[in-house]
Amino acid sequence: MNKHSPQLSDELMDWLQNFNDEQKHGVIGGVVVFDAESNDYPIVFANSSFIRLAGYNEQEVIGASLFSYQMPSENQAKLQEIQGKISKTNHPFMTKMYIITKENNIVQCEVTFRPLQFDGNAKTLYMATFYNITEQTKNEMLYDIYRRTMQSYNQDKDPRIILSDICKTIEQQYTPSDIACSLILYDEDDTAQKILSEKFSQKIIDAWNKIEMSTCISYLKKALKKNSTYTIENVLTEPYSYLLNDDRTHYDKAILIAIHDEQKLMGTFMIAYSQNLVLEKIDVSFFQQLFVVIKAVDKYNRQQKKSWRYIYRDPNTGLYSLEYFKRKIQEKISECPKGYISIISPKEYDDIVNIYGRKAGYALLTQIANRMASLKANENDIIASFVTNALIIYTSESSERFNCYKKIKSLVESPYIIENSEIYITISVGVCPIDDDHSLEECIRHADQAFSKSMEKPGDHIQLFNDEENDRIYRQRKIYNQIIYGLKEKEFRAYLQPKLSLQTKKIIGFEALARWQIHDGNMIYPDEFIPVAEHTGKIIEIEDMILEEVLKWLFNRKYLNLPLYQVAVNASPQHFYKKDFVDNLVAKLRQYQIDSCYIKIEITENIGLADFKKASTIISCLKLHGFETSMDDFGKGFSSLNYLTELAFAEIKIDKSFIDHIDHPKTFAIIRTIVQLANNLNINTVAEGIEYKEQSDILSDIGCDVGQGYHFYKPMTMDQANQLLNELG
Ligand code: C2E
Ligand code: CA
Ligand code: CA
C-alpha cells in the first residue's frame, strides 16, 4: 500500500485493498491506480496482490509507468490512449495485457480500466484491475490445438501438415514474442522428420535439411541426460549454433525441449527467438501436454507409413500398385490437369498363363513395363499394375496418340522371353485424356472402358475413349440395374407372334418374344436389353422366365381342352451352352406336363462358330428328347451351308434383311436357292419379317413353308393370342 499518494484518501485505499480481499478465492485481482493526465501513466497506488503478481517491491512500482511492465511491442499506442480516456463514456473498458514480472515471467492478464472520481480532485485517476489468465489462455490454446488436430485427422490431412499447423499455432499464440517453432521427430532408424518454421530464411532451412541427424541426436541425448526437465536453453552450441548463425539478426537464441516417451527420445521441439525479446520461462507442463498431441499425430503417421509401404507395390509384379499410382497422379494433376491415362494388356495373357502358369503372366507384364519405362518420354510418367492382366500408365506428353502408336510398335516388335521361349504379343490399349471436368477415378474408368473395347478388336489396337461411348455404357449400366430389379419383380412377359403356313395361311405355331415393361410404365425393347442381358449373364434368367410363361400358357390351354400350338423360344448362346440346359428344359416340361413337341428352340446361326462339336451334340440331344431346333437369322452372319447338313436343325428362319429385298433379282436368287436346298435336306423354311402381301406371294410360289411378320400379325399378348385363336376357330 502506498502512503505517498496524497490524492487518495485512507478510506479509498482501504477499499482498494479490500477489493483484492473480496477476490481472494478467484484469480488474483491486482489493483493499480494511475494518473491518466500524465503521458506515461505513472502508478500512484498498487495493492499487495499486484505487487505479488509483478514480483517487484512497492518502491519499484510506485511512480513507474503502468507500461513499464509491458513489452514495447505490446503497448498498442498505450492501449489506444486508454481507450479514448474512457471519459467519453465513463464505462469500464476491458482488454488483455501481458505483464513481465521481475523474474521475466510473462503473465497474461485481463485488465479492466475504470475512472476513479472523488470530490475536489483536479487530477483524473484511473483504476486498473488485473486478473491472471495465463493458465486459462494456455488451456484454451491446448484445447484449440487438440480440436483442430482431431478435425484434420478426420479430413485425412497429411500428418506433416497437421504437425506444421501445430507449430504455427504456437508461434502465433504462445507468447507475444516473435518466435519460430520447429519440430524434429526421430524414426527408429535415426532418420528424422523435420518440420521447419516458415519464419526461417531459406538459408537456414537448407542448412537444417543438410544436417546429419545422427550427430544431432547423439548430441541431444547427451545434453538431455544432464537435465531433468529435458529442456536445453540457449542452445547456441554445436550442432545447432551454426544453424542459427545466418539469422543472428533475427533469431539468436533458442530453447530446445525434448519429446520423449518413457525414457526414449522421440524428438525435439525448438523455439527460436531474439535476444532482445523476452521469452517466458519455459512452461514444461504446457509443452508436455502439447507433446501428447504431437506424439499421437506421430504415431498415426507411422501407422500410415507402415500400411502405405505395404500397399505401395504390387506383390506379384513388383510394379507400383494402383493405389500408389492414384496418389501420385492425383498430386500431379491437381497442379496441372493434363496428360493421358492408358490401360494396356497383352491379348495373349490368358493363353500364356494357361501354358506357363501365373508367374509367367506376371513376368510378361513386368517385361512390358520395363520396355515402356525405357520409352518414357517424360520424367513424370508413371507405370503401375492395374489388374492382374493389365498395366496402367500416366503420360504427361500432349501428342499422346501419335506417340502411343510409335511406342506400341516398339513394344511388340521383338519377342518377349518367357520360360526360355520367345513369345510375340499383340497389345490392346485404352486411352483417356485427363481434363478439368473429370476426376481421376472417372478418367481411369473411361480408359478402362476404352480398353474393353480395344480388347474386342483384332490385332494391336489403341482405343481412345469418347463420350458417346460413355453415354452408351452409362445407359447399359442403368439397364443392367433395372434388369436385376425387373427379374425380382417379374416384369418380363412373353408376347407371341404367329407363324403361318404360306400355303394355307393357317397359324401353325408362335414365336415367343420377350417384352419388358418397367415399373414406371415405359417399355424397353429387346434390341436394347437383350445385348445387356447377354453381356451380363442375366439372359438365362430372362429366358427361363419366358419359357415358364409359355409353359403356363400351354398348360392352361391344355387344361381348358383347347388345341395346343408349337411355340418357339429364343435361346442365347450362353444359355444354350450351359451344362444343364437340356436337363432343365426337360424338367420344366415335365413339371407342366407339356410334350416336348410343343417347344422349339431358336438359336442364331453363328452358334456353331463358338464350338461346332458341342453345338452339334446339344442339338442332337434336344432332338432325342423330342425338341425341334430352328436356325434363326439365317443368312445374316457368317452362314455356312455346312451347318445345314451337319447340325440337326428342323427349321431355318431366313433373315428379314433378305425378305426386305426379295424384289432384287440377286436376293431373290439367294432366297430361292436357300429354300430349295432346305427342301432337299428336309428342313422347314420360315420367312421372317413379311410386311407385304407381295412378299408372302413370292415366298409361297418358291415353296417357302412358313411366314411370320407384321403382314400377318404383330407380336401380341397371350390373352390376345387366345382371343385370336378363338376367333379363327
Ligand atoms: P428375332 O428372334 O429375330 O425376332 C424377330 C424380331 O422381328 C422380333 O423383334 C419381332 O417383333 C420382329 N418382327 C416380326 N415380324 C416383323 C415384321 O414384319 N417387321 C419388322 N420390322 N419386325 C418384325 P423383337 O421382339 O423386338 O426382338 C428382337 C430380337 O430380340 C429378336 O430377334 C431376338 O433376337 C431377341 N429376343 C427377343 N426375345 C428374346 C429371348 O427371349 N431370348 C433371346 N435370346 N433373344 C430374344
Ligand atoms: Ca427368333
Ligand atoms: Ca430372327
Side-chain angles (χ1 to χ4, degrees), residues 574-632:
Q574 256 182 74
H575 199 179
F576 178 77
Y577 282 118
K578 200 168 166 252
K579 217 173 83 226
D580 47 8
F581 173 65
V582 182
D583 292 345
N584 280 344
L585 205 59
V586 172
K588 272 269 153 60
L589 266 80
R590 196 166 295 147
Q591 186 189 339
Y592 285 93
Q593 300 149 36
I594 299 295
D595 195 288
S596 54
C597 70
Y598 292 111
I599 294 294
K600 185 178 267 178
I601 306 296
E602 276 191 23
I603 48 179
T604 49
E605 60 164 352
N606 53 14
I607 206 139
L609 284 179
D611 189 339
F612 186 85
K613 256 179 92 182
K614 206 166 166 189
S616 166
T617 316
I618 299 170
I619 292 168
S620 305
C621 183
L622 282 167
K623 196 174 176 185
L624 220 66
H625 281 96
F627 295 101
E628 287 191 339
T629 340
S630 169
M631 185 191 264
D632 202 357

Side-chain angles (χ1 to χ4, degrees), residues 117-227:
Q117 281 162 340
F118 44 93
D119 292 341
N121 193 337
K123 290 208 174 205
T124 313
L125 293 180
Y126 284 180
M127 162 185 170
T129 45
F130 288 80
Y131 293 100
N132 182 350
I133 55 163
T134 316
E135 276 305 299
Q136 188 189 332
T137 311
K138 280 183 186 164
N139 284 340
E140 274 166 15
M141 183 170 29
L142 274 174
Y143 178 71
D144 188 45
I145 289 174
Y146 172 75
R147 189 182 50 82
R148 276 199 274 167
T149 304
M150 288 320 274
Q151 231 169 30
S152 307
Y153 255 162
N154 292 338
Q155 291 163 357
D156 263 348
K157 264 202 191 165
D158 183 341
R160 280 191 68 85
I161 294 176
I162 304 181
L163 290 173
S164 139
D165 284 348
I166 293 178
C167 289
K168 274 188 212 150
T169 312
I170 300 292
E171 277 175 0
Q172 285 160 9
Q173 298 182 18
Y174 183 66
T175 73
S177 310
D178 172 20
I179 57 169
C181 296
S182 292
L183 176 67
I184 302 182
L185 291 167
Y186 311 127
D187 282 336
E188 282 116 27
D189 52 3
D190 275 6
T191 56
Q193 186 176 176
K194 299 167 213 157
I195 309 286
L196 297 178
S197 173
E198 285 171 8
K199 288 181 162 188
F200 284 142
S201 66
Q202 193 55 46
K203 254 185 172 173
I204 291 262
I205 292 177
D206 291 345
W208 270 85
N209 282 330
K210 263 188 243 138
I211 193 169
E212 182 70 54
M213 264 309 135
S214 51
T215 328
C216 218
I217 296 168
S218 61
Y219 161 80
L220 272 171
K221 282 180 180 163
K222 245 186 277 158
L224 289 168
K225 260 188 205 146
K226 297 182 211 140
N227 189 322

Side-chain angles (χ1 to χ4, degrees), residues 216-332:
C216 218
I217 296 168
S218 61
Y219 161 80
L220 272 171
K221 282 180 180 163
K222 245 186 277 158
L224 289 168
K225 260 188 205 146
K226 297 182 211 140
N227 189 322
S228 60
T229 58
Y230 292 96
T231 64
I232 308 172
E233 286 180 41
N234 211 351
V235 287
L236 286 183
T237 44
E238 288 295 328
Y240 281 94
S241 60
Y242 78 91
L243 293 176
L244 292 175
N245 272 348
D246 275 336
D247 268 8
R248 277 275 159 124
T249 47
H250 201 164
Y251 302 112
D252 52 4
K253 254 179 152 181
I255 292 178
L256 207 65
I257 316 164
I259 302 172
H260 53 93
D261 212 4
E262 310 278 303
Q263 285 302 307
K264 206 171 135 266
L265 182 67
M266 283 179 67
T268 45
F269 190 83
M270 187 178 88
I271 305 170
Y273 60 106
S274 148
Q275 203 142 32
N276 24 358
L277 293 175
V278 188
L279 185 71
E280 183 194 357
K281 276 210 177 128
I282 221 65
D283 176 349
V284 178
S285 92
F286 170 83
F287 280 99
Q288 291 315 334
Q289 287 181 70
L290 176 74
F291 295 161
V292 171
V293 182
I294 291 179
K295 279 191 266 187
V297 178
D298 186 48
K299 199 168 165 194
Y300 161 74
N301 189 12
R302 278 166 213 264
Q303 272 167 356
Q304 271 215 329
K305 261 200 208 153
K306 236 187 220 165
S307 49
W308 180 221
R309 224 170 272 153
Y310 180 69
I311 57 172
Y312 174 74
R313 293 241 171 222
D314 172 60
N316 297 321
T317 54
L319 299 170
Y320 288 131
S321 67
L322 180 60
E323 203 52 44
Y324 175 80
F325 178 87
K326 285 186 196 164
R327 284 202 192 205
K328 275 285 167 207
I329 304 307
Q330 193 61 61
E331 281 170 24
K332 284 187 206 298

